[in-house]
Amino acid sequence: GAGVSQSPSNKVTEKGKDVELRCDPISGHTALYWYRQSLGQGLEFLIYFQGNSAPDKSGLPSDRFSAERTGGSVSTLTIQRTQQEDSAVYLCASSPAGTGSSYEQYFGPGTRLTVT
Amino acid sequence: SQKIEQNSEALNIQEGKTATLTCNYTNYSPAYLQWYRQDPGRGPVFLLLIRENEKEKRKERLKVTFDTTLKQSLFHITASQPADSATYLCASGFTFGKGTHLIIQP
């Protein structure tokens, strides 16, 4: 079946502009995660959605970052007033259930964001 | 908060030998640990999960151990092949280590 998809695959934007990154999780997966990965760095957790529960936003680095998940499926990560330090690969993952169930995460290919 | 530590230096192994990667965690013992493989330009791919009460888990040429006394998990690849070259990530929930870059030399 189809895996996690993300769009766009690459995004170049000017400093100060807003960007939206999209994630389509695997159908039926209730949990969805956003991470970012800077060059040579590990995955940095951003936000976690589980079913209809309030999202865990503890990883968002600033109030310029926000995310929503519509209808328990597609998710959009929005970065307002982008800064150069926002340049990274943004990865989305989904799993059949939340972290408490220890299910593996299925990752998308990522969106490479470059802020000039 | 939990921290996952992996040796970030590249690990060079001769083809056919066993590669052993280390993952250490701080603070509380996690209920489980996961191992992922990441190739350049791609998202991580799940390999194995081991629970706190399991000493060892195997899948084909892969073996993972979990030592709660040492606060450590070891990831072994036996009969390593050049195609095993990748970065391997250890994770607990949504806390990931930085990964170890494994290079299998022919």
Side-chain angles (χ1 to χ4, degrees):
Chain A
V4 177
S5 61
Q6 293 186 244
S7 61
S9 54
N10 279 284
K11 177 72 176 179
V12 180
T13 190
E14 292 181 354
K15 178 181 170 182
K17 300 281 189 183
D18 298 352
V19 294
E20 283 189 353
L21 311 180
R22 177 186 168 109
C23 172
D24 284 85
I26 293 173
S27 177
H29 281 192
T30 60
L32 186 147
Y33 313 76
W34 282 98
Y35 298 86
R36 72 177 175 183
Q37 188 173 34
S38 302
L39 190 63
Q41 298 299 310
L43 271 70
E44 177 188 2
F45 165 73
L46 297 177
I47 188 168
Y48 159 60
F49 296 89
Q50 171 54 48
N52 296 321
S53 302
D56 180 344
K57 303 179 182 180
S58 60
L60 295 178
S62 78
D63 59 8
R64 296 186 296 105
F65 288 71
S66 63
E68 57 181 30
R69 189 178 185 191
T70 53
S73 181
V74 172
S75 178
T76 302
L77 177 70
T78 302
I79 309 174
Q80 296 179 312
R81 305 181 302 281
T82 52
Q83 304 293 314
Q84 287 186 330
E85 60 262 28
D86 299 334
S87 297
V89 175
Y90 288 80
L91 290 160
C92 174
S94 69
S95 69
T99 56
S101 301
S102 72
Y103 284 162
E104 61 265 29
Q105 296 175 47
Y106 296 81
F107 282 83
T111 294
R112 181 175 296 279
L113 175 65
T114 303
V115 182
T116 61
Chain B
S1 61
Q2 186 69 280
K3 279 190 177 180
I4 301 291
E5 297 172 345
Q6 296 183 257
N7 188 345
S8 58
E9 294 180 8
L11 179 64
N12 284 271
I13 299 292
Q14 196 73 29
E15 181 177 7
K17 302 290 187 184
T18 297
T20 299
L21 285 66
T22 303
C23 170
N24 294 292
Y25 58 89
T26 60
N27 300 328
Y28 60 87
S29 181
Y32 61 91
L33 287 167
Q34 299 180 354
W35 284 88
Y36 291 79
R37 168 181 174 146
Q38 187 173 25
D39 291 286
R42 294 178 172 265
V45 174
F46 172 79
L47 296 175
L48 278 170
L49 178 150
I50 185 165
R51 300 182 192 279
E52 184 182 18
N53 60 355
E54 296 174 319
K55 288 281 193 267
E56 181 179 298
K57 188 74 102 35
R58 291 177 184 261
K59 179 183 175 183
E60 298 173 352
R61 294 184 296 111
L62 308 180
K63 183 178 85 171
V64 174
T65 62
F66 196 157
D67 188 327
T68 55
T69 302
L70 295 178
K71 294 190 173 182
Q72 183 178 85
S73 174
L74 298 179
F75 176 82
H76 307 271
I77 305 176
T78 58
S80 59
Q81 305 166 1
D84 296 326
S85 299
T87 296
Y88 291 85
L89 306 173
C90 176
S92 172
F94 38 70
T95 301
F96 280 74
K98 290 187 177 181
T100 297
H101 183 42
L102 176 65
I103 302 168
I104 306 299
Q105 296 178 335

XYZ file of all heavy atoms in Angstrom, chain B residues 9-48:
324
model
N 30.560 9.028 15.739
C 31.660 8.800 14.795
C 31.303 7.656 13.859
O 30.576 6.744 14.235
C 32.937 8.456 15.550
C 33.484 9.603 16.389
C 34.760 9.206 17.111
O 35.279 8.112 16.838
O 35.224 9.987 17.958
N 31.834 7.702 12.673
C 31.585 6.640 11.702
C 32.237 5.351 12.164
O 33.305 5.365 12.776
C 32.113 7.038 10.336
N 31.568 4.250 11.887
C 32.082 2.933 12.250
C 32.418 2.183 10.973
O 31.528 1.930 10.154
C 31.029 2.180 13.063
C 31.371 0.770 13.528
C 32.547 0.813 14.487
C 30.171 0.123 14.207
N 33.693 1.844 10.798
C 34.138 1.117 9.610
C 34.325 -0.347 9.955
O 35.063 -0.675 10.884
C 35.472 1.692 9.109
C 35.283 3.000 8.391
O 35.063 3.048 7.193
N 35.341 4.086 9.139
N 33.647 -1.223 9.186
C 33.706 -2.656 9.425
C 34.017 -3.375 8.120
O 33.520 -2.993 7.051
C 32.357 -3.170 9.984
C 32.018 -2.494 11.310
C 32.365 -4.694 10.147
C 32.939 -2.868 12.453
N 34.825 -4.409 8.207
C 35.152 -5.216 7.034
C 33.963 -6.103 6.681
O 33.297 -6.676 7.573
C 36.361 -6.086 7.360
C 37.051 -6.690 6.177
C 37.850 -5.676 5.389
O 38.339 -4.693 5.946
N 37.994 -5.888 4.107
N 33.697 -6.214 5.405
C 32.607 -7.072 4.936
C 32.744 -8.476 5.520
O 33.840 -9.035 5.593
C 32.631 -7.149 3.410
C 31.534 -8.005 2.808
C 31.559 -8.001 1.286
O 32.521 -7.436 0.696
O 30.631 -8.547 0.672
N 31.605 -9.039 5.933
C 31.611 -10.391 6.499
C 31.722 -10.417 8.015
O 31.365 -11.415 8.650
N 32.237 -9.330 8.603
C 32.381 -9.264 10.055
C 31.052 -8.827 10.697
O 30.120 -8.412 10.005
C 33.472 -8.264 10.447
C 34.833 -8.563 9.872
C 35.440 -9.795 10.492
C 36.881 -9.979 10.025
N 37.464 -11.230 10.534
N 31.001 -8.899 12.017
C 29.833 -8.432 12.757
C 30.019 -6.975 13.163
O 31.037 -6.621 13.752
C 29.595 -9.275 14.015
O 29.302 -10.620 13.635
C 28.439 -8.713 14.837
N 29.023 -6.157 12.828
C 29.028 -4.745 13.240
C 28.204 -4.627 14.517
O 27.101 -5.187 14.597
C 28.427 -3.872 12.146
N 28.734 -3.906 15.492
C 28.020 -3.697 16.757
C 27.899 -2.214 17.027
O 28.914 -1.511 17.113
C 28.741 -4.387 17.929
O 28.801 -5.796 17.683
C 28.000 -4.132 19.232
N 26.675 -1.746 17.162
C 26.410 -0.332 17.427
C 25.811 -0.194 18.823
O 25.048 -1.062 19.265
C 25.425 0.232 16.398
C 25.949 0.507 14.994
C 26.349 -0.762 14.272
C 24.910 1.260 14.178
N 26.149 0.918 19.484
C 25.753 1.112 20.874
C 24.762 2.258 21.023
O 24.897 3.297 20.359
C 26.992 1.421 21.741
O 27.932 0.358 21.587
C 26.619 1.549 23.201
N 23.796 2.063 21.891
C 22.816 3.094 22.225
C 22.703 3.139 23.750
O 22.416 2.119 24.380
C 21.469 2.745 21.603
S 20.082 3.778 22.148
N 22.963 4.307 24.310
C 22.831 4.486 25.755
C 21.712 5.476 26.064
O 21.532 6.455 25.332
C 24.141 5.026 26.349
C 25.264 4.028 26.240
O 25.259 2.990 26.870
N 26.249 4.350 25.418
N 20.985 5.211 27.103
C 19.931 6.143 27.503
C 20.184 6.637 28.918
O 20.818 5.971 29.728
C 18.537 5.505 27.385
C 18.337 4.249 28.197
C 17.887 4.313 29.506
C 18.585 2.999 27.639
C 17.701 3.164 30.250
C 18.404 1.840 28.376
C 17.960 1.928 29.683
O 17.775 0.789 30.414
N 19.729 7.836 29.193
C 19.883 8.423 30.520
C 18.529 8.389 31.220
O 17.515 8.050 30.648
C 20.362 9.879 30.415
O 19.379 10.621 29.681
C 21.685 9.948 29.683
N 18.525 8.735 32.453
C 17.303 8.818 33.238
C 16.575 7.477 33.318
O 17.181 6.442 33.461
C 16.384 9.925 32.704
C 17.073 11.272 32.759
O 17.883 11.526 33.631
N 16.778 12.123 31.807
N 15.273 7.494 33.159
C 14.468 6.307 33.418
C 14.654 5.266 32.322
O 15.021 5.599 31.189
C 12.995 6.682 33.545
C 12.420 7.338 32.309
C 11.890 6.585 31.266
C 12.437 8.728 32.180
C 11.386 7.189 30.142
C 11.925 9.342 31.052
C 11.405 8.568 30.049
O 10.914 9.180 28.925
N 14.377 4.007 32.680
C 14.464 2.935 31.697
C 13.221 2.980 30.818
O 12.104 2.893 31.316
C 14.548 1.590 32.426
O 14.665 0.539 31.499
N 13.395 3.110 29.516
C 12.232 3.185 28.641
C 11.532 1.832 28.549
O 12.149 0.790 28.727
C 12.828 3.579 27.286
C 14.232 3.112 27.342
C 14.656 3.194 28.764
N 10.244 1.847 28.259
C 9.491 0.601 28.116
C 9.973 -0.200 26.913
O 9.832 -1.426 26.878
C 8.005 0.899 28.006
N 10.523 0.498 25.936
C 11.019 -0.181 24.749
C 12.015 0.729 24.043
O 12.036 1.950 24.267
C 9.872 -0.530 23.802
C 9.110 0.676 23.303
C 9.483 1.309 22.117
C 8.053 1.202 24.033
C 8.816 2.437 21.680
C 7.374 2.322 23.595
C 7.765 2.939 22.430
O 7.103 4.055 21.997
N 12.814 0.139 23.188
C 13.714 0.883 22.316
C 13.505 0.388 20.893
O 13.205 -0.785 20.666
C 15.170 0.679 22.723
C 15.631 1.384 23.998
C 16.972 0.853 24.453
C 15.704 2.892 23.771
N 13.646 1.297 19.963
C 13.513 0.956 18.548
C 14.795 1.290 17.815
O 15.508 2.224 18.189
C 12.360 1.744 17.919
C 11.008 1.469 18.551
C 9.897 2.266 17.904
O 10.135 3.102 17.052
N 8.668 1.989 18.287
N 15.056 0.550 16.762
C 16.183 0.826 15.880
C 15.668 1.059 14.465
O 14.792 0.331 13.981
C 17.175 -0.340 15.894
C 18.009 -0.375 17.135
C 17.708 -0.984 18.322
C 19.292 0.219 17.314
N 18.714 -0.803 19.234
C 19.711 -0.063 18.639
C 20.143 0.970 16.498
C 20.925 0.372 19.160
C 21.353 1.400 17.003
C 21.736 1.103 18.328
N 16.213 2.106 13.837
C 15.848 2.484 12.479
C 17.101 2.580 11.626
O 18.194 2.854 12.128
C 15.165 3.859 12.463
C 13.795 3.911 13.096
C 13.644 3.959 14.467
C 12.649 3.919 12.305
C 12.385 4.010 15.052
C 11.385 3.982 12.879
C 11.268 4.023 14.249
O 10.016 4.081 14.816
N 16.902 2.418 10.334
C 17.975 2.633 9.362
C 17.609 3.856 8.535
O 16.450 4.008 8.106
C 18.113 1.407 8.458
C 18.986 1.657 7.245
C 19.106 0.452 6.354
N 19.830 0.811 5.137
C 20.645 -0.032 4.496
N 20.826 -1.266 4.945
N 21.268 0.363 3.411
N 18.598 4.729 8.279
C 18.364 5.882 7.422
C 19.430 5.963 6.356
O 20.630 5.991 6.660
C 18.324 7.186 8.229
C 17.915 8.387 7.383
C 17.711 9.654 8.199
O 18.282 9.817 9.273
N 16.887 10.573 7.695
N 18.995 5.990 5.110
C 19.892 6.189 3.981
C 19.861 7.665 3.576
O 18.868 8.357 3.829
C 19.466 5.295 2.814
C 19.719 3.830 3.115
O 20.898 3.446 3.084
O 18.760 3.101 3.421
N 20.935 8.143 2.926
C 21.004 9.569 2.568
C 19.803 10.016 1.749
O 19.397 9.335 0.806
C 22.298 9.658 1.756
C 23.143 8.533 2.264
C 22.181 7.424 2.570
N 19.197 11.126 2.138
C 18.081 11.687 1.395
C 16.750 10.983 1.597
O 15.780 11.281 0.895
N 16.704 10.083 2.552
C 15.469 9.334 2.800
C 15.064 9.419 4.272
O 15.876 9.738 5.137
C 15.661 7.869 2.426
C 15.875 7.653 0.941
C 16.098 6.194 0.624
N 16.115 5.959 -0.819
C 15.065 5.589 -1.523
N 13.907 5.407 -0.934
N 15.174 5.396 -2.821
N 13.794 9.090 4.534
C 13.341 9.018 5.912
C 13.794 7.721 6.561
O 14.111 6.746 5.869
N 13.853 7.677 7.886
C 14.238 6.450 8.592
C 13.253 5.315 8.308
O 12.062 5.549 8.076
C 14.186 6.863 10.068
C 14.333 8.346 10.073
C 13.652 8.801 8.822
N 13.786 4.089 8.353
C 12.979 2.881 8.166
C 13.112 2.014 9.403
O 14.229 1.716 9.837
C 13.440 2.096 6.916
C 12.689 0.774 6.806
C 13.236 2.923 5.653
N 11.987 1.620 9.961
C 11.967 0.802 11.169
C 12.601 -0.565 10.923
O 12.342 -1.212 9.903
C 10.528 0.621 11.655
C 10.388 -0.362 12.775
C 10.707 0.009 14.070
C 9.946 -1.649 12.545
C 10.574 -0.881 15.118
C 9.819 -2.555 13.578
C 10.130 -2.166 14.865
N 13.437 -0.998 11.901
C 14.071 -2.317 11.804
C 13.587 -3.263 12.902
O 13.093 -4.355 12.621
C 15.591 -2.169 11.890
C 16.268 -1.383 10.767
C 17.748 -1.217 11.060
C 16.064 -2.082 9.422
N 13.794 -2.859 14.150
C 13.504 -3.759 15.266
C 13.042 -2.961 16.473
O 13.459 -1.822 16.675
C 14.760 -4.550 15.679
C 15.124 -5.796 14.888
C 16.516 -6.265 15.289
C 14.113 -6.898 15.101
